[in-house]
Amino acid sequence: MSNLIEVAVTSDANGSLWSCCAWDPQAGTQLCTYKGGEATTPHGFSFINQEFIITANNSKPLLHIWPVNSQEQVPNLRFVVPGKVTALAISSDGVYCVAAVSEIIYIWKISSGDMLAMLSRHYQTVSSLAFTDDGSHFISAGQDGMMLVWKLSSILTATGYNNQETTPLYSFSDHTLSITDIFIGKGGMRALAASVSLDRTCRIYDLASGTILLNLVFPEALTSITIDNLDTKVYIGSIEGNIFEFNLQTPPRTREYHLNHETLTTKQRFIGHKGAVTTLSISLDGETLLSGGNDETVHFWHIPSKQIIRTIPHKGTITNAKFVLAPKAMFDQETKLHLIANNFKRMIDNQSLNTENFTVEILVSHPVDSSIEAEIVNETVGVAGDGVVTSKGREILNGTSGADLNEVEQLRAEVRRLKKINKDLFEHSVKSVFQNGK
């Protein structure tokens, strides 16, 4: 099993056998099951650093976490959230968890459990969340037909430190009905983003410019979407069970295409599902399409021939199904994986975020000037991120509660001592480099 490049991970709305399961796409056999988390919500599955699986409970305000090589959840850790999660995403570095509860989006730092932001820009339930592959931005889409592009750093700065109301980088309101699925390609903010909706349209956007590139109008309401790794072909699932293929390189190039059953030939369809197609994913080599539907089945398709290679029955509607690179630890049961995490907090602690005292560690290759020294003193006595002196710093500078300017002089003396240590370390390292060079 250790030679597998990819695995397929699926979940269904029943959850009686397992919350999610990893499959061998070549043989169709189970590799690992993850139990105890009940049914997983649609768009409620993700990985943390390719070492842990996290899912959202479909009926309770809980998130569940498993090591990839164990069917038992991480002990002594419960992620209780404000309500039932409707969509979930984890940043690529495994630091931040973004979850939607109805129309509100929450952001937590996994290691500390701190709630960093609450975003309330959607008018109806958020149905999908997805990060760019570099983790710098994420997209939210909802039943209000809106798709919002968020810059993570701006959110954390505005909401977490200055208490300003943050706004999305882009706001797309082109759909007239609920958005059912979104997809982001490779390349960070240079990637393509796509959305599908019950209004029968698929819209493709350029994230770099925030403009719409293509609008595809189909004869059926659309429920799922994926794009191959080369950004050349789009695969779209419908409420009627059809999967349509559209070639982005096929001329003529116009902004809008209206497709109907007559123009969509059998070479552009995957026919096999008996209900709505709820999820789609493409293998790394672009040869296999993975689909799940309301008919409680997962199909593996050979893309060039449009034929079903393998079918895996489930106990309920397929809520998640995707190809992922096989985690190294999945096939090593002896490896003990450790997650740095804390129970999620239920509200934002603005005072803690605004008046946090910073610990300064200095290692520079040049002398520290007076402006840097003043900045270090400010941070040491306690200055908030917006430049306001905290209560601790004010007490020291104003002489209240027994502190006076002697303490400030002591701090400056400590800074001078650290500067000397830093200078000595730098000179010693330079001498070592030259000596080794000889």
Side-chain angles (χ1 to χ4, degrees):
M1 297 297 180
S2 59
N3 60 347
L4 283 177
I5 299 176
E6 285 182 297
V7 298
V9 182
T10 66
S11 65
D12 59 45
N14 184 282
S16 59
L17 299 178
W18 23 257
S19 296
C20 57
C21 181
W23 305 86
D24 181 349
Q26 299 175 7
T29 56
Q30 288 185 3
L31 299 176
C32 192
T33 58
Y34 306 94
K35 301 180 179 180
E38 303 182 13
T40 301
T41 190
H43 304 117
F45 164 88
S46 189
F47 276 88
I48 303 177
N49 290 332
Q50 289 295 101
E51 293 183 343
F52 295 86
I53 286 177
I54 181 170
T55 66
N57 193 298
N58 199 26
S59 58
K60 299 176 183 178
L62 293 172
L63 301 180
H64 305 278
I65 298 181
W66 296 263
V68 293
N69 59 355
S70 173
Q71 65 178 3
E72 301 298 329
Q73 296 184 49
V74 176
N76 305 320
L77 186 64
R78 287 173 60 85
F79 284 173
V80 181
V81 291
K84 190 185 79 169
V85 171
T86 56
L88 174 71
I90 303 295
S91 60
S92 55
D93 55 9
V95 175
Y96 301 104
C97 172
V98 179
V101 176
S102 190
E103 72 277 5
I104 301 176
I105 301 171
Y106 298 87
I107 302 178
W108 285 275
K109 189 174 183 179
I110 296 176
S111 60
S112 64
D114 290 331
M115 182 186 291
L116 304 178
M118 292 173 55
L119 307 175
S120 182
R121 285 306 182 99
H122 283 277
Y123 302 102
Q124 295 184 41
T125 299
V126 176
S127 55
S128 297
L129 290 168
F131 267 98
T132 56
D133 59 358
D134 61 1
S136 62
H137 297 71
F138 68 90
I139 294 178
S140 62
Q143 295 178 5
D144 53 6
M146 295 180 62
M147 188 172 82
L148 308 180
V149 181
W150 303 90
K151 186 176 182 180
L152 185 60
S153 60
S154 297
I155 294 172
L156 300 181
T157 301
T159 304
Y161 290 95
N162 295 328
N163 292 318
Q164 299 173 357
E165 183 66 23
T166 186
T167 56
L169 180 63
Y170 302 126
S171 179
F172 303 114
S173 55
D174 302 302
H175 291 289
T176 57
L177 293 176
S178 298
I179 295 177
T180 51
D181 196 12
I182 57 176
F183 178 85
I184 305 177
K186 302 288 191 299
M189 283 300 287
R190 295 179 179 272
L192 296 180
S195 61
V196 291
S197 169
L198 295 179
D199 64 5
R200 301 186 295 114
T201 63
C202 167
R203 299 179 185 270
I204 301 176
Y205 301 89
D206 174 28
L207 287 181
S209 61
T211 57
I212 184 170
L213 300 177
L214 190 63
N215 179 30
L216 304 175
V217 183
F218 287 85
E220 302 169 3
L222 306 179
T223 53
S224 55
I225 183 171
T226 190
I227 302 177
D228 66 5
N229 291 317
L230 298 177
D231 290 338
T232 57
K233 292 184 179 180
V234 184
Y235 299 89
I236 303 165
S238 79
I239 201 169
E240 301 294 332
N242 291 309
I243 302 173
F244 303 108
E245 179 187 75
F246 186 85
N247 193 339
L248 296 177
Q249 296 180 317
T250 302
R253 299 292 296 167
T254 61
R255 180 67 63 89
E256 185 169 308
Y257 285 88
H258 287 262
L259 306 170
N260 52 50
H261 289 295
E262 287 73 26
T263 57
L264 290 166
T265 65
T266 55
K267 293 183 179 180
Q268 294 177 278
R269 296 192 198 184
F270 298 78
I271 302 175
H273 281 287
K274 298 179 181 178
V277 179
T278 55
T279 180
L280 292 170
S281 181
I282 295 180
S283 63
L284 191 62
D285 60 6
E287 291 290 315
T288 306
L289 176 68
L290 175 66
S291 66
N294 282 344
D295 55 3
E296 304 180 359
T297 59
V298 169
H299 292 316
F300 291 85
W301 305 80
H302 181 243
I303 291 178
S305 65
K306 307 294 188 295
Q307 299 297 311
I308 297 175
I309 303 172
R310 187 170 293 103
T311 297
I312 301 177
H314 286 60
K315 296 292 185 180
T317 297
I318 310 303
T319 53
N320 298 276
K322 63 173 64 176
F323 281 111
V324 295
L325 292 176
K328 293 181 180 179
M330 178 175 285
F331 312 108
D332 185 0
Q333 304 298 322
E334 301 301 323
T335 300
K336 299 298 182 183
L337 301 176
H338 301 282
L339 177 65
I340 300 176
N342 205 344
N343 294 331
F344 281 0
K345 296 180 181 178
R346 301 293 296 274
M347 61 182 64
I348 300 175
D349 188 355
N350 282 323
Q351 184 174 1
S352 173
L353 289 173
N354 284 334
T355 62
E356 181 180 3
N357 293 330
F358 300 97
T359 301
V360 181
E361 296 181 1
I362 311 170
L363 181 59
V364 297
S365 58
H366 55 80
V368 181
D369 59 30
S370 58
S371 62
I372 298 178
E373 177 182 342
E375 181 180 350
I376 294 170
V377 172
N378 286 339
E379 291 183 337
T380 308
V381 300
V383 177
D386 55 1
V388 179
V389 179
T390 66
S391 57
K392 179 181 176 183
R394 193 177 294 110
E395 288 174 359
I396 293 176
L397 295 177
N398 292 340
T400 60
S401 71
D404 55 23
L405 294 178
N406 288 333
E407 294 193 35
V408 177
E409 291 299 326
Q410 292 174 5
L411 292 172
R412 286 176 175 160
E414 179 68 12
V415 170
R416 287 193 291 271
R417 188 181 71 86
L418 292 173
K419 286 165 57 179
K420 185 178 183 306
I421 293 174
N422 179 72
K423 181 180 178 181
D424 293 341
L425 287 172
F426 175 69
E427 290 176 352
H428 176 73
S429 63
V430 170
K431 290 179 181 178
S432 298
V433 169
F434 280 107
Q435 289 175 355
N436 293 334
K438 294 180 180 179

